[in-house]
Amino acid sequence: MVRWKDRNTARKIQDGDVAAFEQLVELFKGRVYSYCLRMIGDPRDGEEAAQDVFVSVYRHIAQYNADKAALSTWIFHIAHNHCANVLRHQQRRVPDATAVCEQILAAPANVIEAWELRQILIDGLNCLSDEERSLILMKDYIDLKYREIAEILQVPAGTVKTRVHVARRRLQNILRGEKQ
Amino acid sequence: MIPRIVWKEALNQMPYEKPGNDFTTRVIRISGAGQPVNAGSPVGADPNSVQKRLQGRMIPAWAGGLILALAALLVFGPVSHDAEMRLINQRVGENSQFLTRQISANLLSVITHNERSVNQ
């Protein structure tokens, strides 16, 4: 499958077209930053990670192959690997994740305002493992397809479906207030 | 309890966060965009993969030397052996010629001595 638009964009950036790169950053910065932020948990570190992702995209654009993957998939592949590296080096997931999880479990969940739901959801995501959080974010937040996630993680699409299902059930249990 | 449909919907509709205002400018400045990027062979999607890290890596000098030495031994070894054998054969030949000459000379001197004795 040839992705002409992605190929042209990559070629322009490779030829030193700043406008093309700027356009790419503008197009993806929200999604990439949101993903990095939700994965790493800290706005400053998340922004730094997103910045590193785009710098990496620029420096390795010559290695992008439009026949193999969409540009968006390639960018999220870099983002996913970068966040995994950051988390590995930091030796932590999110600040005080355990305390946050306990708060969710203790909170009465019968009356939840819409604005609270978002925060509870974010806290719930932080109670998941890095891999589970990453899967839920890629599928339900960034809205990538199973096939695209499979390309990013380099596993079969069926495996991704199973893992996403397990991660969703875990999150559901956390939001129900059930201890894992 | 938050029903699954509710949190999935909420997550899906959660707006993307925005990085700082100067994010794009910073990325462009740090990446040095504007300079043509060196072309490379397109391989996969992960710039950090082992395969990519190995690409373009030079063979260490000592390994290169070792490989060259082994190759030289393999190629020139039998030739050197042949040359050595040739040299030995040549030496043996020379020696045998020398010995033959020595023996001939000795024999000649004995014969001459005998002839003189008989004559006397």
Side-chain angles (χ1 to χ4, degrees), chain A residues 91-147:
Chain A
Q91 292 288 312
R92 68 180 176 86
R93 282 170 42 211
V94 287
D96 300 327
T98 318
V100 170
C101 297
E102 279 170 5
Q103 274 174 19
I104 294 175
L105 297 175
N110 50 352
V111 274
I112 298 168
E113 298 292 334
W115 60 271
E116 280 180 323
L117 177 62
R118 184 180 156 183
Q119 193 51 49
I120 289 174
L121 196 49
I122 292 168
D123 292 343
L125 282 169
N126 290 340
C127 294
L128 297 173
S129 71
D130 294 339
E131 194 202 358
E132 289 169 334
R133 191 163 67 257
S134 165
L135 283 163
I136 297 241
L137 286 174
M138 282 195 278
K139 184 72 193 94
D140 295 329
Y141 185 43
I142 306 295
D143 221 16
L144 295 177
K145 294 181 177 71
Y146 284 117
R147 180 180 46 77

Side-chain angles (χ1 to χ4, degrees), chain A residues 136 164-174 176 180, chain B residues 4 7:
Chain A
I136 297 241
V164 167
H165 176 72
V166 171
R168 279 175 179 162
R169 205 168 50 194
R170 273 255 302 150
L171 181 61
Q172 178 69 34
N173 290 342
I174 288 168
R176 267 184 195 152
Q180 297 300 299
Chain B
R4 181 169 166 168
W7 70 254

Side-chain angles (χ1 to χ4, degrees), chain A residues 14-15 59-64, chain B residues 35-42 55:
Chain A
Q14 203 177 324
D15 292 342
R59 291 190 181 154
H60 297 94
I61 195 73
Q63 292 167 358
Y64 167 67
Chain B
Q35 304 294 321
V37 184
N38 289 335
S41 57
Q55 275 189 350

